[in-house]
Amino acid sequence: MKLRAPELTGRGWLNTGGDDVRLADLRGKVVVLDFWTFCCVNCLHVLDELRPLEERFGDKLVIVGVHSPKFEHEADPEALAAAVERYAVHHPVLDDPDLVTWQAYAARAWPTLVVIDPEGYIVASMSGEGHGHGLTTLVEELLVEHEAKGTLRSGSGPYVPPPAPSTALRFPGKVARLADGTVVVSDTAHHEVVHLAADDEIELARFGGEGVFNEPQGLLVLPPEAAERTGDDVLVADSVNHEIKGIRLSDGRVRTLAGTGEQLREREGSGPALRQALSTPWDLAWWYDRVVVAMAGTHQLWVLHLAEDPADNTVAVLAGTSNEGIRDGAAHEAWFAQPSGLATSADGSRVWIADSETSALRSIAVTDDGFEVTTHVGQGLFDFGHVDGPADEALLQHPLGVAELPDGSVVVADTYNGALRRFDPAKGEVSTLTTGLAEPSDVIVVPATGDDRAHLLVVEANAHRLTPVALTQEAQHVRGEAHQTQRPVTEIASGAAELVVTFEPPAGQKLDMRWGDPTMLQVSSSPEAFLREGAGKGQGLTRSLVIDESVGSAILHVSVRAAACDGDPVTGEVPEHAACHLYQQDWGIPVIVVDGASSTLTLDLRGV
């Protein structure tokens, strides 16, 4: 039975010149709806996967972004407009702050893609990353089918580019200070790294540009000994190129030190750095003579060892399983969610971590038992706000930057609250240093020099500037609102239940069973007691669960991966050296036990 696509309903539209877009206006074209939220690194990956489709299919395909926010700040229309520009979204975007269209299409995860045929019917729904190749195949099939039926039309679409802005910096990401007092800043939307004089304004040099960097983020000034040994002065987390690059300031040479330029799909790896794919490195720190990498795309910390010859550089996972959430303890068992800011403590005992999607301040340290992860502030994936006080009750909102203050306390660039927050480890308390900042994405401490007092230097990403903030101002105690991400709760019956992940490989692909089952399903819940049976990791796309009705409700965490390979179009056999494609998604689904509800929970990884 064909399902007619529901109308697109929201607060308004971006990238349309002020016009509303109706599905009737798009009849005759293939339409892909991209449900996204701008905090989500996986959503940013999908934006990159969609760009080749927009270029290839031109006036026969319309991509529509449906922005259904996770965080309170993301519902701000000005913040959304800035994000659409920052991430170079070149298609219409529906502002869906109340998740009206999200619910109409039964979306359960960021990102979700829905394909609508030229007659206005839903033909596919898929969650997660890695669908570029399969989408291409599906669009090709639809174009052939509807051209033959006479239901396909060409012509201009509803996209209207906004006026191009002009500022010296555009959505800067991170900042680092050199020994001579000058600073380097990642000019993210200009795809450059800028060297500024000690006044933080006069430009001394620019490095990179499009084709060299792609949305650079974290910066690390190497210690003198490491810089002399390697020949690189500043390291750059080149986020969209999925690489770590080095800059030699004397002549502007830029070279790759880690990464292949391809996005890592397996979420694990080690060995020669130039032969290992990475996934959206966001920040860098120097610790124990190694580079710690906040690998936002796989929700992990990695470590890069620099040799004299980049060919001898090596990388390895330092912490994180790639599952999203808060789990402390042994580094190899810990969970993160998009770690985006790093700072090494003055005594070198730990690295502080701004774990953005859990709205948390965390750290990694060395103990007698090895590397250990600790959460200092933060409740989980869906709890956030602006609340000061005892650290175990305090709330942040998607922090991106962190630095240690001279007194041993920690300042956090609390990005979506537009604030600088202070964590006092001795007292176990959180306070607010200042508010009213425009998405602060990084902060560093500038020590006193001459007549100038020590102060903070803040990257105000959405104000496109660096802003000094005095350290002498008195901390405030804000008791703002606590929030939880609001999404429809899924009802499920108590007792025995079945989890089913639908996955239909694209035409010309099949699950390759030559070396065993190429799927992985991992299930857990918060609280853990909700699942009496069925938690854990294993192969297959279905799982039998036993739910404890006395717990009542929970967040069900589901991670899935499936590998499909190109097969012979006639026989379906998979050649020995066939190209394979990895599909993966993580869900965090709020569920509640209700008598008479369905005992089957179905999730679409790729349903057609």
Side-chain angles (χ1 to χ4, degrees):
M1 176 181 174
K2 286 186 174 182
L3 292 177
R4 177 71 69 179
E7 192 53 81
L8 305 176
T9 304
R11 179 167 56 189
W13 287 86
L14 295 86
N15 286 353
T16 65
D19 294 335
D20 290 343
V21 177
R22 300 175 305 154
L23 285 177
D25 303 329
L26 307 179
R27 199 63 51 81
K29 296 175 181 288
V30 176
V31 177
V32 175
L33 304 183
D34 174 23
F35 290 86
W36 69 300
T37 185
F38 66 75
C39 70
C40 165
V41 70
N42 309 94
C43 298
L44 303 185
H45 293 164
V46 168
L47 285 174
D48 291 328
E49 292 175 357
L50 293 176
R51 297 188 208 281
L53 274 77
E54 292 180 286
E55 295 174 5
R56 176 172 178 178
F57 297 110
D59 59 0
K60 296 180 177 64
L61 169 73
V62 174
I63 294 175
V64 174
V66 181
H67 188 267
S68 306
K70 172 185 176 181
F71 287 104
E72 187 79 9
H73 174 72
E74 293 175 299
D76 180 341
E78 292 186 5
L80 173 57
V84 167
E85 180 202 334
R86 177 189 307 192
Y87 297 119
V89 180
H90 294 157
H91 51 248
V93 174
L94 173 66
D95 183 5
D96 181 31
D98 298 318
L99 278 64
V100 174
T101 298
W102 165 283
Q103 294 184 61
Y105 282 84
R108 296 181 185 270
W110 296 282
T112 290
L113 298 168
V114 176
V115 182
I116 302 171
D117 72 14
E119 294 179 281
Y121 292 99
I122 296 174
V123 295
S125 178
M126 52 200 78
S127 297
E129 305 177 41
H131 296 289
H133 179 85
L135 270 175
T136 299
T137 302
L138 180 56
V139 172
E140 288 174 337
E141 293 173 348
L142 290 171
L143 293 180
V144 170
E145 175 188 347
H146 287 274
E147 187 168 27
K149 291 175 66 175
T151 51
L152 185 69
R153 69 177 176 86
S154 302
S156 60
Y159 172 65
V160 177
S166 178
T167 54
L169 299 176
R170 202 71 194 164
F171 299 106
K174 301 289 185 180
V175 65
R177 186 174 180 274
L178 285 84
D180 62 2
T182 62
V183 298
V184 283
V185 57
S186 51
D187 192 2
T188 304
H190 286 149
H191 311 292
E192 294 178 312
V193 172
V194 184
H195 189 191
L196 299 175
D199 65 359
D200 308 326
E201 294 184 3
I202 298 174
E203 288 192 13
L204 303 177
R206 282 184 172 263
F207 307 101
E210 291 191 58
V212 179
F213 295 128
N214 194 344
E215 296 184 19
Q217 287 288 343
L219 301 170
L220 171 63
V221 177
L222 286 178
E225 181 181 326
E228 182 177 353
R229 173 167 51 86
T230 64
D232 299 289
D233 300 299
V234 176
L235 268 55
V236 183
D238 194 8
S239 68
V240 176
N241 281 331
H242 310 291
E243 294 175 324
I244 309 297
K245 291 191 168 80
I247 300 174
R248 186 167 59 195
L249 296 178
S250 60
D251 60 3
R253 183 204 63 190
V254 177
R255 62 178 179 174
T256 301
L257 303 176
T260 63
E262 298 294 324
Q263 182 192 338
L264 175 66
R265 299 292 185 183
E266 295 290 344
R267 302 190 178 186
E268 59 187 22
S270 63
L274 291 174
R275 297 205 295 270
Q276 173 62 55
L278 309 179
S279 183
T280 317
W282 207 273
D283 205 7
L284 309 168
W286 186 256
W287 195 42
Y288 288 108
D289 298 321
R290 302 288 192 274
V291 180
V292 179
V293 182
M295 201 70 74
T298 58
H299 317 293
Q300 294 172 311
L301 303 181
W302 285 42
V303 64
L304 165 64
H305 173 251
L306 296 173
E308 290 187 20
D309 185 343
D312 297 324
N313 292 349
T314 58
V315 291
V317 175
L318 173 63
T321 66
S322 85
N323 288 88
E324 291 185 73
I326 287 181
R327 176 181 285 177
D328 290 341
H332 68 281
E333 297 177 347
W335 292 7
F336 297 94
Q338 221 167 296
S340 301
L342 302 175
T344 307
S345 63
D347 63 5
S349 65
R350 68 180 64 239
V351 173
W352 298 102
I353 306 157
D355 199 28
S356 63
E357 281 292 281
T358 57
S359 297
L361 171 64
R362 309 177 73 185
S363 70
I364 184 169
V366 179
T367 69
D368 292 340
D369 297 322
F371 294 105
E372 185 166 321
V373 175
T374 302
T375 298
H376 305 276
V377 184
Q379 308 295 324
L381 274 169
F382 306 106
D383 298 274
F384 60 92
H386 191 155
V387 177
D388 288 330
D392 60 354
E393 300 175 5
L395 293 172
L396 312 170
Q397 187 178 182
H398 197 77
L400 291 178
V402 62
E404 189 176 83
L405 296 173
D407 65 359
S409 62
V410 181
V411 60
V412 178
D414 191 9
T415 307
Y416 285 2
N417 281 326
L420 294 183
R421 310 286 293 283
R422 178 178 177 266
F423 167 64
D424 184 338
K427 296 181 179 179
E429 291 186 352
V430 175
S431 57
T432 297
L433 293 177
T434 191
T435 58
L437 300 170
E439 286 200 18
S441 57
D442 200 15
V443 57
I444 60 172
V445 178
V446 179
T449 55
D451 296 331
D452 296 328
R453 293 183 176 183
H455 63 278
L456 301 174
L457 188 61
V458 182
V459 179
E460 280 196 274
N462 279 19
H464 318 293
R465 67 191 179 199
L466 303 181
T467 302
V469 173
L471 267 173
T472 54
Q473 56 191 7
E474 187 174 343
Q476 314 164 48
H477 286 275
V478 175
R479 195 72 187 179
E481 293 186 7
H483 298 281
Q484 287 189 322
T485 301
Q486 298 301 314
R487 294 170 301 153
V489 177
T490 297
E491 297 180 352
I492 193 166
S494 63
E498 194 77 6
L499 172 65
V500 178
V501 177
T502 61
F503 177 69
E504 181 175 320
Q509 293 183 26
K510 63 177 293 185
L511 292 174
D512 184 4
M513 310 295 290
R514 290 173 297 170
W515 296 283
D517 192 331
T519 63
M520 185 283 293
L521 183 62
Q522 182 161 336
V523 182
S524 63
S525 65
S526 302
E528 292 183 10
F530 185 77
L531 286 180
R532 294 171 56 190
E533 296 180 19
K537 182 177 181 178
Q539 293 175 315
L541 296 175
T542 62
R543 181 73 58 84
S544 295
L545 310 175
V546 177
I547 293 169
D548 189 339
E549 65 180 331
S550 68
V551 178
S553 62
I555 301 294
L556 198 63
H557 304 280
V558 180
S559 296
V560 64
R561 300 177 202 172
C565 300
D566 294 342
D568 185 283
V570 177
T571 66
E573 294 295 319
V574 177
E576 182 178 355
H577 301 293
C580 295
H581 312 272
L582 186 65
Y583 303 86
Q584 57 191 17
Q585 173 61 11
D586 302 298
W587 287 274
I589 302 172
V591 293
I592 187 169
V593 175
V594 174
D595 289 339
S598 174
S599 59
T600 301
L601 175 60
T602 302
L603 303 174
D604 283 327
L605 178 60
R606 189 179 189 277
V608 179

